[in-house]
Amino acid sequence: MNVRKSFALATATLALGGGLAVAPAASAAPASTGAASQSCRQDSITVPSDRGAVAYIECRRNNHGTWQSSTQIWVYDKKADGKCVYGTVKIGNWSKTYKACPKGNDVRGERSGWHNGYDAQVTMSIR
């Protein structure tokens, strides 16, 4: 799993679990559509000083010889400071950015769907 973190104002720390309200991987994993094998893993990116957080579940499968990845993402804006928290998912040539702001308007469990690529890159930024 490749996790890249970037911050305009803070340094990120990587922590498994992170105390965030994230559904267990078994129930939150994207549904399989006939793939031969599938594995899922849960991770989170948090910012010191409680500015924001990104939590996600990444699943990977081999679909008829082609590796595919899928994510389910939660993005939290924890501070009413006029800045937004962004979580960007990139799988192969596909990418999408999820935005949480103002505080309390969070992204909860958005699914990316399956895209060709062995690994999802998840980036968190605050701006």
Side-chain angles (χ1 to χ4, degrees), residues 95-127:
S95 69
K96 183 170 181 180
T97 299
Y98 303 88
K99 174 182 169 183
C101 75
K103 180 182 177 185
N105 289 323
D106 301 321
V107 175
R108 299 184 183 269
E110 290 290 323
R111 295 180 184 206
S112 67
W114 291 103
H115 301 279
N116 291 341
Y118 183 75
D119 199 18
Q121 298 173 346
V122 178
T123 306
M124 177 185 176
S125 61
I126 299 173
R127 51 186 191 270

Side-chain angles (χ1 to χ4, degrees), residues 15-60:
L16 292 176
L20 298 171
V22 177
S27 65
S32 175
T33 58
S37 62
Q38 176 177 316
S39 64
C40 299
R41 181 173 170 181
Q42 179 176 324
D43 277 306
S44 66
I45 304 168
T46 58
V47 180
S49 78
D50 295 329
R51 295 183 77 108
V54 171
Y56 64 98
I57 296 170
E58 176 182 353
C59 295
R60 158 181 316 133

